[in-house]
Coordinates of all heavy atoms in Angstrom, one line a residue:
M830 N 9.1 9.3 -52.4 CA 9.7 10.3 -51.6 C 11.2 10.5 -52.0 O 11.9 11.1 -51.3 CB 9.6 9.8 -50.1 CG 8.3 10.0 -49.5 SD 8.8 10.0 -47.7 CE 7.3 9.6 -47.1
N831 N 11.6 9.9 -53.1 CA 12.9 10.1 -53.6 C 14.0 9.8 -52.6 O 15.0 10.5 -52.4 CB 13.1 11.6 -54.1 CG 12.2 11.9 -55.2 OD1 11.8 11.0 -55.9 ND2 11.9 13.2 -55.3
G832 N 13.9 8.7 -51.9 CA 14.9 8.3 -51.0 C 14.9 9.0 -49.7 O 15.8 8.8 -48.9
E833 N 14.0 9.9 -49.5 CA 14.0 10.7 -48.2 C 13.2 9.9 -47.2 O 12.2 9.2 -47.5 CB 13.3 12.0 -48.4 CG 14.1 13.0 -49.3 CD 13.4 14.3 -49.4 OE1 12.5 14.6 -48.6 OE2 13.7 15.0 -50.4
Y834 N 13.7 10.0 -46.0 CA 13.0 9.3 -44.9 C 12.5 10.3 -43.9 O 13.2 11.2 -43.5 CB 13.9 8.3 -44.1 CG 14.3 7.1 -45.0 CD1 15.6 7.2 -45.7 CD2 13.5 6.0 -45.2 CE1 16.0 6.1 -46.5 CE2 13.9 5.0 -46.0 CZ 15.1 5.0 -46.6 OH 15.5 4.0 -47.4
R835 N 11.3 10.1 -43.5 CA 10.7 11.0 -42.5 C 10.8 10.4 -41.1 O 10.5 9.2 -41.0 CB 9.3 11.3 -42.7 CG 9.1 12.2 -43.9 CD 7.6 12.6 -44.0 NE 7.5 13.5 -45.1 CZ 6.3 14.0 -45.5 NH1 5.2 13.7 -44.8 NH2 6.2 14.8 -46.5
E836 N 11.3 11.1 -40.2 CA 11.4 10.6 -38.8 C 10.0 10.7 -38.2 O 9.4 11.8 -38.2 CB 12.4 11.4 -38.0 CG 12.7 10.9 -36.7 CD 13.8 11.7 -35.9 OE1 14.8 12.1 -36.6 OE2 13.6 11.9 -34.7
V837 N 9.6 9.7 -37.6 CA 8.4 9.6 -36.9 C 8.6 9.7 -35.4 O 9.3 8.8 -34.8 CB 7.5 8.4 -37.2 CG1 6.2 8.4 -36.5 CG2 7.3 8.3 -38.7
N838 N 8.1 10.7 -34.7 CA 8.3 10.8 -33.3 C 7.1 10.0 -32.6 O 5.9 10.3 -32.9 CB 8.2 12.2 -32.8 CG 9.4 13.0 -33.2 OD1 10.5 12.4 -33.3 ND2 9.3 14.3 -33.5
Q839 N 7.5 9.1 -31.8 CA 6.4 8.3 -31.1 C 6.4 8.9 -29.7 O 7.4 9.0 -29.0 CB 6.7 6.9 -31.1 CG 6.7 6.3 -32.5 CD 7.0 4.8 -32.5 OE1 7.3 4.2 -31.4 NE2 6.9 4.2 -33.6
M840 N 5.2 9.1 -29.3 CA 5.0 9.6 -27.9 C 4.3 8.5 -27.1 O 3.2 8.1 -27.4 CB 4.2 10.9 -27.9 CG 4.0 11.4 -26.5 SD 3.3 13.1 -26.2 CE 2.2 13.3 -27.5
G841 N 5.0 8.1 -26.1 CA 4.4 7.1 -25.2 C 3.6 7.7 -24.1 O 3.9 8.8 -23.6
F842 N 2.6 7.0 -23.6 CA 1.9 7.5 -22.4 C 1.5 6.3 -21.5 O 1.5 5.2 -22.0 CB 0.7 8.3 -22.8 CG -0.4 7.5 -23.6 CD1 -1.4 6.9 -22.9 CD2 -0.3 7.4 -24.9 CE1 -2.4 6.2 -23.6 CE2 -1.2 6.7 -25.6 CZ -2.3 6.1 -25.0
Q843 N 1.3 6.7 -20.3 CA 1.0 5.6 -19.3 C -0.3 6.1 -18.6 O -0.4 7.2 -18.2 CB 2.2 5.5 -18.3 CG 1.9 4.5 -17.2 CD 3.1 4.4 -16.3 OE1 4.2 4.9 -16.6 NE2 2.9 3.8 -15.2
L844 N -1.2 5.1 -18.4 CA -2.4 5.4 -17.7 C -2.2 5.0 -16.3 O -1.8 3.9 -15.9 CB -3.6 4.6 -18.3 CG -4.0 5.0 -19.7 CD1 -5.1 4.1 -20.2 CD2 -4.4 6.4 -19.8
D845 N -2.6 5.9 -15.4 CA -2.6 5.6 -14.0 C -4.0 5.6 -13.5 O -4.8 6.5 -13.9 CB -1.8 6.7 -13.2 CG -0.3 6.6 -13.4 OD1 0.2 5.5 -13.7 OD2 0.4 7.6 -13.4
F846 N -4.4 4.7 -12.7 CA -5.7 4.6 -12.2 C -5.8 5.1 -10.7 O -4.9 5.0 -9.9 CB -6.2 3.1 -12.1 CG -6.3 2.5 -13.5 CD1 -5.4 1.7 -14.0 CD2 -7.5 2.8 -14.3 CE1 -5.5 1.2 -15.3 CE2 -7.6 2.3 -15.5 CZ -6.6 1.5 -16.0
L847 N -6.9 5.8 -10.5 CA -7.1 6.3 -9.1 C -7.5 5.0 -8.3 O -8.3 4.2 -8.7 CB -8.3 7.2 -9.1 CG -8.1 8.6 -9.6 CD1 -9.4 9.4 -9.6 CD2 -7.1 9.4 -8.8
K848 N -6.9 4.9 -7.1 CA -7.2 3.8 -6.2 C -8.1 4.3 -5.1 O -8.9 3.5 -4.6 CB -5.9 3.2 -5.7 CG -5.1 2.6 -6.8 CD -3.8 2.0 -6.2 CE -3.0 1.5 -7.4 NZ -1.6 1.3 -7.0
D849 N -7.9 5.5 -4.6 CA -8.7 6.1 -3.6 C -9.0 7.6 -3.9 O -8.2 8.3 -4.6 CB -7.8 6.2 -2.3 CG -7.7 4.8 -1.6 OD1 -8.7 4.3 -1.1 OD2 -6.6 4.3 -1.7
K850 N -10.2 8.0 -3.4 CA -10.6 9.4 -3.7 C -11.5 9.7 -2.5 O -12.4 9.0 -2.2 CB -11.3 9.5 -5.0 CG -11.8 10.9 -5.4 CD -12.5 10.8 -6.7 CE -12.9 12.1 -7.2 NZ -13.7 12.1 -8.4
I851 N -11.3 10.8 -1.9 CA -12.1 11.3 -0.8 C -12.7 12.6 -1.2 O -12.0 13.5 -1.6 CB -11.3 11.5 0.5 CG1 -10.7 10.1 1.0 CG2 -12.1 12.1 1.6 CD1 -9.8 10.1 2.1
E852 N -14.1 12.7 -1.0 CA -14.8 13.9 -1.4 C -15.6 14.4 -0.2 O -16.1 13.6 0.6 CB -15.7 13.6 -2.6 CG -14.9 13.2 -3.8 CD -15.7 13.3 -5.1 OE1 -16.4 14.3 -5.3 OE2 -15.6 12.3 -5.9
F853 N -15.8 15.7 -0.2 CA -16.5 16.4 0.9 C -17.7 17.1 0.3 O -17.7 17.7 -0.7 CB -15.6 17.4 1.6 CG -14.3 16.8 2.2 CD1 -13.2 16.7 1.4 CD2 -14.3 16.4 3.5 CE1 -12.0 16.2 1.9 CE2 -13.1 15.9 4.0 CZ -12.0 15.7 3.2
F854 N -18.8 17.0 1.1 CA -20.1 17.5 0.6 C -20.7 18.3 1.8 O -20.5 18.0 2.9 CB -21.1 16.4 0.2 CG -20.5 15.5 -0.9 CD1 -19.8 14.4 -0.6 CD2 -20.8 15.8 -2.2 CE1 -19.3 13.6 -1.6 CE2 -20.3 15.0 -3.2 CZ -19.6 13.9 -2.9
E855 N -21.5 19.4 1.4 CA -22.3 20.1 2.4 C -23.6 20.6 1.7 O -23.6 20.8 0.5 CB -21.5 21.2 3.0 CG -21.2 22.4 2.1 CD -20.5 23.5 2.8 OE1 -19.6 23.2 3.6 OE2 -20.8 24.7 2.6
A856 N -24.6 20.7 2.5 CA -25.9 21.1 2.0 C -26.8 21.7 3.2 O -26.5 21.4 4.3 CB -26.6 20.0 1.3
A857 N -27.8 22.4 2.8 CA -28.7 23.0 3.8 C -29.8 22.0 4.2 O -30.4 22.2 5.2 CB -29.3 24.2 3.2
S858 N -30.0 20.9 3.4 CA -31.0 19.9 3.8 C -30.4 18.5 3.6 O -29.5 18.3 2.7 CB -32.3 20.1 3.0 OG -32.0 19.7 1.6
L859 N -30.9 17.6 4.3 CA -30.5 16.2 4.2 C -30.8 15.6 2.8 O -29.9 14.9 2.2 CB -31.1 15.3 5.2 CG -30.6 13.9 5.4 CD1 -29.1 14.0 5.7 CD2 -31.3 13.2 6.6
K860 N -31.9 16.0 2.2 CA -32.3 15.6 0.9 C -31.3 16.1 -0.2 O -30.9 15.4 -1.1 CB -33.7 16.0 0.5 CG -34.2 15.5 -0.8 CD -35.6 15.9 -1.0 CE -36.1 15.4 -2.4 NZ -37.5 15.6 -2.6
E861 N -30.9 17.4 -0.1 CA -30.0 17.9 -1.0 C -28.6 17.3 -0.9 O -27.9 17.0 -1.9 CB -29.8 19.4 -0.7 CG -28.9 20.2 -1.6 CD -28.6 21.6 -1.3 OE1 -29.3 22.1 -0.3 OE2 -27.8 22.2 -1.9
L862 N -28.2 17.0 0.4 CA -26.9 16.3 0.6 C -26.9 14.9 -0.1 O -26.0 14.5 -0.8 CB -26.6 16.2 2.1 CG -25.3 15.5 2.5 CD1 -24.1 16.4 2.0 CD2 -25.3 15.3 4.0
E863 N -28.0 14.2 0.1 CA -28.2 12.8 -0.5 C -28.1 12.9 -2.0 O -27.5 12.1 -2.7 CB -29.5 12.2 -0.1 CG -29.5 11.8 1.4 CD -30.8 11.2 1.8 OE1 -31.8 11.3 1.0 OE2 -30.9 10.7 3.0
Q864 N -28.7 13.9 -2.6 CA -28.7 14.1 -4.1 C -27.3 14.4 -4.6 O -26.9 13.9 -5.6 CB -29.7 15.2 -4.5 CG -31.1 14.8 -4.3 CD -32.1 16.0 -4.6 OE1 -31.7 17.2 -4.6 NE2 -33.3 15.7 -4.8
K865 N -26.6 15.2 -3.9 CA -25.2 15.6 -4.3 C -24.3 14.3 -4.2 O -23.5 14.1 -5.1 CB -24.6 16.7 -3.4 CG -25.2 18.0 -3.6 CD -24.5 19.0 -2.7 CE -25.0 20.4 -2.9 NZ -24.3 21.4 -2.1
I866 N -24.4 13.6 -3.2 CA -23.6 12.4 -3.0 C -24.0 11.3 -4.1 O -23.1 10.8 -4.7 CB -23.8 11.7 -1.6 CG1 -23.2 12.7 -0.6 CG2 -23.1 10.4 -1.5 CD1 -23.5 12.3 0.9
Q867 N -25.3 11.1 -4.3 CA -25.7 10.2 -5.4 C -25.2 10.6 -6.8 O -24.8 9.7 -7.5 CB -27.3 10.1 -5.4 CG -27.8 9.0 -6.4 CD -27.2 7.6 -6.0 OE1 -27.1 7.2 -4.9 NE2 -26.9 6.9 -7.1
K868 N -25.2 11.8 -7.1 CA -24.7 12.3 -8.4 C -23.2 12.0 -8.5 O -22.8 11.5 -9.5 CB -25.0 13.8 -8.5 CG -24.5 14.4 -9.8 CD -24.8 15.9 -9.9 CE -24.3 16.5 -11.2 NZ -24.6 17.9 -11.2
Q869 N -22.5 12.2 -7.4 CA -21.0 11.9 -7.5 C -20.8 10.4 -7.5 O -19.8 10.0 -8.1 CB -20.3 12.6 -6.3 CG -18.9 12.8 -6.5 CD -18.6 13.7 -7.8 OE1 -19.3 14.6 -8.1 NE2 -17.5 13.3 -8.5
I870 N -21.6 9.6 -6.9 CA -21.4 8.2 -6.9 C -21.5 7.7 -8.4 O -20.7 6.9 -8.9 CB -22.5 7.5 -6.1 CG1 -22.1 7.7 -4.6 CG2 -22.6 6.0 -6.4 CD1 -23.2 7.2 -3.6
E871 N -22.5 8.3 -9.1 CA -22.7 7.9 -10.5 C -21.5 8.3 -11.4 O -21.0 7.6 -12.2 CB -24.0 8.5 -11.0 CG -25.2 7.9 -10.4 CD -26.5 8.7 -10.7 OE1 -26.5 9.7 -11.5 OE2 -27.5 8.3 -10.1
H872 N -21.0 9.5 -11.1 CA -19.8 10.0 -11.8 C -18.6 9.1 -11.6 O -17.8 8.8 -12.5 CB -19.4 11.4 -11.4 CG -20.3 12.5 -12.0 ND1 -20.1 13.2 -13.1 CD2 -21.6 12.8 -11.6 CE1 -21.1 14.0 -13.4 NE2 -22.0 13.8 -12.5
N873 N -18.4 8.7 -10.3 CA -17.2 7.9 -9.9 C -17.3 6.5 -10.4 O -16.3 5.8 -10.6 CB -17.0 8.0 -8.4 CG -16.4 9.4 -8.0 OD1 -15.7 10.0 -8.8 ND2 -16.7 9.8 -6.8
Q874 N -18.5 6.0 -10.6 CA -18.7 4.6 -11.1 C -18.1 4.6 -12.5 O -17.6 3.5 -12.9 CB -20.2 4.2 -11.1 CG -20.7 3.8 -9.7 CD -22.1 3.5 -9.7 OE1 -22.9 3.9 -10.6 NE2 -22.6 2.8 -8.7
A875 N -18.2 5.7 -13.3 CA -17.7 5.7 -14.6 C -16.2 5.6 -14.6 O -15.6 5.1 -15.6 CB -18.1 7.0 -15.3
I876 N -15.5 5.9 -13.5 CA -14.0 5.8 -13.5 C -13.7 4.6 -12.5 O -12.6 4.6 -11.9 CB -13.3 7.1 -13.1 CG1 -13.8 7.7 -11.8 CG2 -13.4 8.1 -14.2 CD1 -13.0 8.9 -11.3
L877 N -14.6 3.7 -12.4 CA -14.4 2.4 -11.6 C -14.1 2.6 -10.1 O -13.4 1.9 -9.5 CB -13.3 1.6 -12.3 CG -13.6 1.2 -13.7 CD1 -12.4 0.5 -14.3 CD2 -14.9 0.4 -13.9
L878 N -14.8 3.6 -9.5 CA -14.7 3.9 -8.1 C -16.0 3.6 -7.4 O -17.0 4.0 -7.9 CB -14.2 5.3 -7.8 CG -12.8 5.7 -8.2 CD1 -12.6 7.2 -7.9 CD2 -11.8 4.9 -7.5
A879 N -16.0 2.9 -6.3 CA -17.2 2.6 -5.6 C -17.1 3.1 -4.1 O -16.0 3.4 -3.7 CB -17.4 1.1 -5.5
V880 N -18.2 3.3 -3.5 CA -18.2 3.9 -2.1 C -17.6 2.8 -1.2 O -18.0 1.7 -1.2 CB -19.6 4.2 -1.7 CG1 -19.6 4.6 -0.2 CG2 -20.2 5.3 -2.6
H881 N -16.6 3.3 -0.4 CA -16.0 2.4 0.6 C -16.6 2.8 2.0 O -16.9 1.9 2.8 CB -14.5 2.6 0.6 CG -13.8 1.9 1.7 ND1 -13.7 0.5 1.6 CD2 -13.1 2.3 2.8 CE1 -13.0 0.1 2.7 NE2 -12.6 1.2 3.4
S882 N -16.7 4.1 2.3 CA -17.3 4.5 3.5 C -17.9 5.9 3.4 O -17.5 6.7 2.6 CB -16.3 4.4 4.7 OG -15.3 5.4 4.5
V883 N -18.8 6.2 4.4 CA -19.4 7.5 4.4 C -19.5 7.9 5.9 O -19.8 7.1 6.8 CB -20.9 7.4 3.9 CG1 -21.5 8.8 4.0 CG2 -20.9 7.0 2.4
S884 N -19.1 9.2 6.1 CA -19.2 9.7 7.4 C -20.0 11.0 7.3 O -19.7 11.8 6.4 CB -17.8 10.0 8.0 OG -17.8 10.7 9.2
H885 N -20.9 11.3 8.2 CA -21.7 12.5 8.1 C -21.9 13.2 9.4 O -21.7 12.5 10.5 CB -23.1 12.1 7.5 CG -23.9 11.2 8.3 ND1 -24.7 11.5 9.3 CD2 -23.9 9.8 8.2 CE1 -25.2 10.5 9.9 NE2 -24.8 9.4 9.2
Q886 N -22.2 14.4 9.4 CA -22.4 15.2 10.6 C -23.4 16.3 10.3 O -23.6 16.8 9.2 CB -21.0 15.8 10.9 CG -21.0 16.6 12.2 CD -19.6 17.0 12.6 OE1 -18.6 16.7 11.9 NE2 -19.5 17.8 13.6
T887 N -24.1 16.7 11.4 CA -25.1 17.8 11.4 C -24.6 18.8 12.3 O -24.2 18.5 13.5 CB -26.5 17.3 11.8 OG1 -26.9 16.2 11.0 CG2 -27.5 18.4 11.7
T888 N -24.5 20.1 11.9 CA -24.0 21.2 12.7 C -25.0 22.3 12.6 O -25.6 22.6 11.6 CB -22.6 21.7 12.1 OG1 -21.8 20.5 11.9 CG2 -22.0 22.7 13.0
V889 N -25.1 23.0 13.7 CA -25.9 24.3 13.8 C -25.0 25.5 13.8 O -24.1 25.6 14.7 CB -26.8 24.2 15.0 CG1 -27.6 25.5 15.1 CG2 -27.7 23.0 15.0
I890 N -25.1 26.3 12.8 CA -24.3 27.5 12.8 C -25.2 28.7 12.6 O -26.0 28.8 11.6 CB -23.3 27.5 11.6 CG1 -22.4 26.3 11.7 CG2 -22.5 28.8 11.5 CD1 -21.5 26.1 10.5
D891 N -25.2 29.6 13.5 CA -26.1 30.8 13.5 C -27.5 30.5 13.3 O -28.2 31.0 12.4 CB -25.6 31.8 12.4 CG -24.2 32.3 12.7 OD1 -23.9 32.5 13.9 OD2 -23.5 32.6 11.7
D892 N -28.0 29.5 14.0 CA -29.4 29.1 14.0 C -29.8 28.4 12.7 O -31.0 28.4 12.3 CB -30.4 30.2 14.3 CG -30.2 30.7 15.8 OD1 -29.9 29.8 16.6 OD2 -30.5 31.9 16.0
R893 N -28.9 28.0 11.9 CA -29.3 27.2 10.7 C -28.5 25.9 10.7 O -27.4 25.8 11.2 CB -29.0 28.0 9.4 CG -27.6 28.3 9.1 CD -27.4 29.1 7.8 NE -26.0 29.3 7.5 CZ -25.3 28.5 6.7 NH1 -25.9 27.6 6.0 NH2 -24.0 28.7 6.5
I894 N -29.1 24.9 10.2 CA -28.5 23.5 10.2 C -27.7 23.3 8.9 O -28.2 23.6 7.8 CB -29.6 22.4 10.3 CG1 -30.4 22.6 11.6 CG2 -29.0 21.1 10.2 CD1 -31.6 21.7 11.8
L895 N -26.5 22.8 9.1 CA -25.7 22.4 8.0 C -25.3 21.0 8.0 O -24.9 20.5 9.0 CB -24.4 23.3 8.0 CG -23.4 23.0 6.9 CD1 -24.0 23.5 5.6 CD2 -22.1 23.8 7.2
Y896 N -25.7 20.3 6.9 CA -25.4 18.8 6.8 C -24.1 18.7 6.0 O -23.9 19.3 4.9 CB -26.5 18.1 6.1 CG -27.8 18.2 6.9 CD1 -28.7 19.2 6.6 CD2 -28.1 17.3 7.9 CE1 -29.9 19.3 7.3 CE2 -29.3 17.4 8.6 CZ -30.2 18.4 8.3 OH -31.4 18.5 9.0
T897 N -23.2 17.9 6.5 CA -21.9 17.6 5.8 C -21.7 16.1 5.8 O -22.2 15.4 6.6 CB -20.7 18.3 6.5 OG1 -20.6 17.8 7.9 CG2 -20.9 19.8 6.5
A898 N -20.9 15.7 4.8 CA -20.5 14.3 4.6 C -19.1 14.2 4.0 O -18.7 15.1 3.2 CB -21.5 13.6 3.8
V899 N -18.5 13.1 4.3 CA -17.2 12.8 3.7 C -17.4 11.4 3.1 O -17.8 10.5 3.9 CB -16.0 12.7 4.7 CG1 -14.7 12.3 4.1 CG2 -15.9 14.1 5.4
V900 N -17.1 11.2 1.9 CA -17.3 9.9 1.2 C -16.0 9.5 0.7 O -15.3 10.2 0.0 CB -18.3 10.0 0.0 CG1 -18.5 8.6 -0.6 CG2 -19.6 10.6 0.5
H901 N -15.6 8.2 1.1 CA -14.3 7.6 0.6 C -14.7 6.6 -0.5 O -15.4 5.7 -0.3 CB -13.7 6.9 1.8 CG -12.4 6.3 1.5 ND1 -11.7 5.4 2.4 CD2 -11.6 6.3 0.4 CE1 -10.6 5.0 1.8 NE2 -10.5 5.6 0.6
F902 N -14.1 6.9 -1.6 CA -14.3 6.0 -2.8 C -13.0 5.2 -3.0 O -11.9 5.7 -2.8 CB -14.6 6.8 -4.1 CG -15.8 7.6 -4.1 CD1 -15.9 8.9 -3.6 CD2 -17.0 7.0 -4.5 CE1 -17.1 9.6 -3.6 CE2 -18.2 7.7 -4.5 CZ -18.2 9.0 -4.1
K903 N -13.2 3.9 -3.3 CA -12.1 3.0 -3.6 C -12.3 2.4 -5.0 O -13.4 2.1 -5.4 CB -11.9 2.0 -2.5 CG -11.2 2.5 -1.3 CD -10.8 1.3 -0.5 CE -9.6 1.7 0.4 NZ -8.9 0.6 0.9
A904 N -11.2 2.0 -5.6 CA -11.3 1.3 -6.9 C -11.9 0.0 -6.7 O -11.6 -0.7 -5.7 CB -9.9 1.2 -7.5
N905 N -12.8 -0.4 -7.6 CA -13.4 -1.7 -7.5 C -12.9 -2.7 -8.6 O -13.6 -3.5 -9.1 CB -14.9 -1.6 -7.5 CG -15.4 -0.9 -8.8 OD1 -14.7 -0.6 -9.7 ND2 -16.8 -0.7 -8.9
I906 N -11.6 -2.5 -8.9 CA -11.0 -3.4 -9.9 C -10.0 -4.3 -9.3 O -9.5 -4.1 -8.2 CB -10.3 -2.7 -11.1 CG1 -9.3 -1.6 -10.6 CG2 -11.4 -2.0 -11.9 CD1 -8.5 -1.0 -11.6

């Protein structure tokens, strides 16, 4: 390099972990709601989150039933 020096820029980064995550779900049937929640449980396990609590509710709106749930995920590390 004939005495030339190249400056190397170093970029540092920091990883932050999710400690809590709350997700909301709704569906027209209880089976569909369970499937949506199960799918998200599998996704969140990949980022080390486990189910901490689940709250659910059934509501009737205009003669149709709506199932809703709130799932609280917490870090399991």
Side-chain angles (χ1 to χ4, degrees):
M830 283 201 204
N831 298 334
E833 293 179 20
Y834 294 97
R835 289 189 178 176
E836 185 177 320
V837 178
N838 290 328
Q839 294 182 357
M840 181 170 32
F842 62 94
Q843 178 180 347
L844 296 176
D845 289 329
F846 293 100
L847 286 175
K848 295 178 184 165
D849 287 288
K850 183 178 180 185
I851 297 174
E852 296 193 47
F853 302 87
F854 301 89
E855 67 177 43
S858 72
L859 192 55
K860 184 176 181 176
E861 181 185 356
L862 182 66
E863 290 174 353
Q864 290 172 342
K865 287 181 176 184
I866 293 170
Q867 185 59 41
K868 182 178 176 182
Q869 201 58 37
I870 288 171
E871 292 168 6
H872 286 259
N873 285 332
Q874 284 176 340
I876 56 173
L877 302 175
L878 294 175
V880 174
H881 177 69
S882 66
V883 178
S884 176
H885 59 88
Q886 185 173 354
T887 304
T888 307
V889 178
I890 301 174
D891 297 328
D892 294 329
R893 66 182 183 98
I894 298 175
L895 181 66
Y896 298 92
T897 59
V899 177
V900 182
H901 181 189
F902 294 92
K903 279 193 154 198
N905 59 1
I906 54 173

